[in-house]
Amino acid sequence: MSQPSASGGLGIRDLTLSIGRGEKAKRILRGISLDVPAGRITGLAGESGSGKTMTGMTVLGLQPEQATVGGVIEFDGRNLLELPTKKLNTLRGNDIAMVFQDPTSSLHPMLSIGSQLTDHLRQHTGMSKREALERARVVLEQVKVPDPAGALKKYPHQFSGGQLQRVAIASAIMCSPSVLIADEPTTALDVTVQAGILRLLRELCDDLGLAILLVTHDLGVMSALADTIAVMREGEIVEHGDRFQVITAPRDPYTRALIDALPRDGSTGAEQATTGDAS
Amino acid sequence: MTALLELEGVKVSYRVAGRPRLVAVDDVSLSLGTRQVLGLVGESGCGKSTLARAICGLEGLDSGSITFDGTPVTRLGMRTRDRKLLRIQMVFQNPYASLNPRRTIGRQIEDGLRVNPDRTAWTVPDLLAHVELDASARSRFPHQFSGGQRQRIAIARAIASGPDLLVGDEPIASLDASLQARVAGLMRSLALETGASLLFISHDLSVVRVIADDVAVMSRGRIVERGDVNEVWSNPQQPYTKQLLSAIPKVDGLGVLPG
């Protein structure tokens, strides 16, 4: 296995994405520039429809087929947007991996964890089944799934939501990617379970030097996990800075509004909820 | 004040093959007043969904009683439901499963309107507007909508019947994360606007914090703490509540991992 390189981050430059043509074109991303460096967790925050998920999906070439994309997504000296599908397929899952919101729908219900974890590894590396299963066991241990050897023989329904998200993370890091895109990785989980997953993502970032792009609307999760936070609104990044600065001294009025909308002790959150978006 | 919903020593258990019966809800007493929003929180497996199902008559009780507006809630069977109990309406977690795929949205909302004692309270376009959907939605089918839109339709259908109690069992859990607070806020405002109470069940503490008046914290089948949501948040009494609340990451920019 090749070790992830320390310099293996992403550089997004002036990324645009629109759906439809001419006058009626809907501009989803309006020139996003963002560095996602190795060994750091870069947070991407924003409300529903701001384009944060679309940014993550576009990195993996998973944007809608009818979308027109412009700009540069630089990875390992290449522009991902110009790579032919075949080349992109060797990168996806291998060098750039993704973790989604709901582990019950991102894993196949009828395949054992062992086969789901080893399939793409064997496809990408040509490893033997035995070697691949051993690697899977090691990775499951790394993400702290209890009884890793037994877990390989189990099916998704036999795990709790939190354990299943660990399995999904294991699946994402099987091929030792250098970039991990985590889109709302803890939103479906109980807070106590969420705490464990946040800790795990931090460890993976520090230990493996992963470049993590963390997409979430949850400013608490951002504040706990992200090193830098970029705030998106209507397809643009309105502010990007150090975590502490963005949370405590936001420069952009929109960021300030998002933070001010959070309920504080003693305030009546219920009144806010009925007048607008509370996230 | 007589409560709208009164639970007394409710116990529900399930048979589990090869093991002793699993007590999902254990001696729960709870009351909910009119025009009140109660958030029920707890971790997965704590029994909160079973409790919601029992309130709607979808689970039989081992012991205890559930009374809704003076009428005992009986288990829903093959017989016609007591008309009074139709005034409890539920919004389920999965809108893909709770709507009929073969009937139009308009027809399904009309089902609700038919049981509303006040026949003139709503029209279909009215309801669609209230859940922020276009009037043209009426003639379309569930598969033509996104998850968030389908949950809005499920809410419109529940409201159509003019409930006194709206029960949401993780109604936002299957939605896109950044839509969750908006749909939850919509449930609150629609319930209160129509004079109903809302029992909102969720594992998402931050959403409950924002939309509920009162919160009940459930653990291992029991309610461990109940009170005004702001008081519980700022001054939790029980160790379990303290542990749960301390696991919420703080928005302080300090990068402290919770737990």
Side-chain angles (χ1 to χ4, degrees):
Chain A
M1 288 311 302
S2 62
Q3 282 302 306
S5 65
S7 59
L10 279 179
I12 302 173
R13 299 276 166 274
D14 203 27
L15 178 66
T16 58
L17 186 148
S18 53
I19 292 176
R21 297 201 177 271
E23 292 281 292
K24 284 185 187 158
K26 228 174 144 181
R27 293 168 67 205
I28 313 282
L29 302 177
R30 302 163 179 247
I32 302 289
S33 294
L34 184 67
D35 274 324
V36 185
R40 305 271 283 170
I41 297 179
T42 307
L44 196 53
E47 292 181 303
S48 178
S50 61
K52 56 190 194 301
T53 288
M54 193 64 88
T55 304
M57 296 297 250
T58 307
V59 170
L60 287 163
L62 298 176
Q63 69 275 19
E65 255 173 53
Q66 70 274 27
T68 316
V69 185
V72 176
I73 300 176
E74 195 189 311
F75 174 75
D76 200 15
R78 287 174 291 184
N79 180 2
L80 295 182
L81 296 176
E82 284 170 356
L83 283 188
T85 314
K86 231 179 160 177
K87 278 260 167 63
L88 193 60
N89 278 341
T90 64
L91 286 179
R92 276 198 283 234
N94 204 5
D95 297 297
I96 305 176
M98 186 144 185
V99 176
F100 297 91
Q101 177 173 335
D102 180 6
T104 53
S105 58
S106 62
L107 290 164
H108 196 297
M110 300 188 58
L111 295 175
S112 71
I113 299 306
S115 77
Q116 299 194 57
L117 256 52
T118 55
D119 262 8
H120 58 301
L121 180 65
R122 294 183 63 197
Q123 197 167 6
H124 282 303
T125 63
M127 217 181 244
S128 78
K129 194 172 171 184
R130 239 176 92 186
E131 282 175 301
L133 279 172
E134 175 53 22
R135 161 88 184 145
R137 197 192 58 75
V138 171
V139 174
L140 284 176
E141 200 170 334
Q142 191 172 14
V143 299
K144 303 190 182 73
V145 169
D147 181 23
L152 290 171
K153 300 192 189 82
K154 288 191 186 169
Y155 291 82
H157 75 269
Q158 292 171 290
F159 292 85
S160 66
Q163 294 303 347
L164 208 55
Q165 192 61 301
R166 287 181 189 269
V167 171
I169 293 171
S171 171
I173 63 168
M174 274 297 287
C175 298
S176 307
S178 40
V179 178
L180 180 69
I181 296 167
D183 191 347
E184 303 281 3
T186 59
T187 304
L189 308 175
D190 291 326
V191 280
T192 44
V193 176
Q194 164 172 281
I197 298 289
L198 296 181
R199 211 162 277 276
L200 173 64
L201 288 171
R202 173 46 74 190
E203 277 173 25
L204 292 175
C205 176
D206 292 350
D207 298 350
L208 306 177
L210 272 176
I212 298 183
L213 178 64
L214 172 71
V215 179
T216 180
H217 73 296
D218 187 326
L219 292 175
V221 168
M222 272 302 172
S223 169
L225 196 57
D227 294 305
T228 64
I229 300 175
V231 181
M232 278 188 80
R233 183 193 191 189
E234 291 172 10
E236 286 177 294
I237 292 181
V238 296
E239 175 161 12
H240 182 202
D242 169 71
R243 162 188 72 217
F244 187 73
Q245 175 259 309
V246 173
I247 300 276
T248 58
R251 294 197 182 104
D252 185 81
Y254 176 72
T255 313
R256 186 181 303 275
L258 275 186
I259 292 166
D260 286 347
L262 295 169
R264 305 245 179 263
D265 289 340
S267 80
T268 49
E271 282 157 21
Q272 292 174 4
T274 44
T275 53
D277 193 338
S279 67
Chain B
M1 186 188 81
T2 52
L4 178 69
L5 180 74
E6 191 83 59
L7 277 71
E8 282 256 352
V10 170
K11 184 177 169 187
V12 183
S13 67
Y14 295 110
R15 204 168 60 194
V16 187
R19 287 191 206 163
R21 283 185 82 87
L22 173 81
V23 179
V25 174
D26 195 3
D27 192 20
V28 165
S29 298
L30 193 67
S31 74
L32 177 63
T34 48
R35 287 173 180 264
Q36 195 181 24
V37 178
L38 174 64
L40 181 62
V41 300
E43 295 175 273
S44 45
C46 74
K48 56 192 191 298
S49 284
T50 302
L51 189 61
R53 291 174 57 84
I55 290 167
C56 297
L58 297 172
E59 298 287 347
L61 308 186
D62 291 19
S63 58
S65 67
I66 301 176
T67 315
F68 170 72
D69 204 10
T71 308
V73 174
T74 49
R75 188 171 185 181
L76 190 62
M78 299 305 281
R79 306 176 111 189
T80 312
R81 185 160 220 203
D82 187 330
R83 284 199 79 83
K84 250 189 127 178
L85 296 181
L86 290 174
R87 307 193 50 78
I88 304 177
Q89 288 288 326
M90 188 149 173
V91 175
F92 293 89
Q93 174 168 358
N94 183 358
Y96 294 76
S98 65
L99 293 169
N100 185 335
R102 299 178 58 171
R103 300 178 69 223
T104 62
I105 301 311
R107 295 280 298 279
Q108 297 192 56
I109 293 178
E110 282 162 16
D111 288 346
L113 290 175
R114 217 165 290 132
V115 302
N116 193 328
D118 178 6
R119 297 269 167 150
T120 57
W122 295 101
T123 62
V124 173
D126 249 10
L127 274 161
L128 288 172
H130 265 79
V131 295
E132 295 156 20
L133 285 175
D134 201 75
S136 66
R138 178 176 201 157
S139 53
R140 293 196 274 156
F141 291 89
H143 74 266
Q144 295 172 291
F145 295 89
S146 69
Q149 289 171 326
R150 265 183 258 202
Q151 198 61 295
R152 286 167 200 268
I153 293 164
I155 294 167
R157 194 212 48 77
I159 292 289
S161 60
D164 291 322
L165 173 63
L166 188 60
V167 179
D169 181 16
E170 294 275 9
I172 56 167
S174 64
L175 305 183
D176 207 32
S178 44
L179 275 175
Q180 294 181 342
R182 203 172 297 174
V183 172
L186 182 70
M187 280 187 81
R188 174 186 166 88
S189 54
L190 265 178
L192 294 183
E193 195 182 313
T194 59
S197 291
L198 173 62
L199 176 63
F200 188 89
I201 295 166
S202 180
H203 73 281
D204 190 328
L205 300 167
S206 49
V207 168
V208 169
R209 160 87 158 101
V210 170
I211 73 147
D213 303 316
D214 263 26
V215 64
V217 182
M218 202 166 171
S219 170
R220 297 168 182 240
R222 290 169 180 269
I223 305 272
V224 296
E225 184 161 359
R226 151 111 197 232
D228 173 87
V229 75
N230 289 316
E231 268 165 40
V232 171
W233 244 256
S234 52
N235 191 16
Q237 297 299 312
Q238 297 299 318
Y240 178 77
T241 314
K242 286 179 189 169
Q243 183 201 331
L244 199 62
L245 294 179
S246 70
I248 303 172
K250 289 190 177 51
V251 188
D252 53 12
L254 294 177
V256 179
L257 291 169

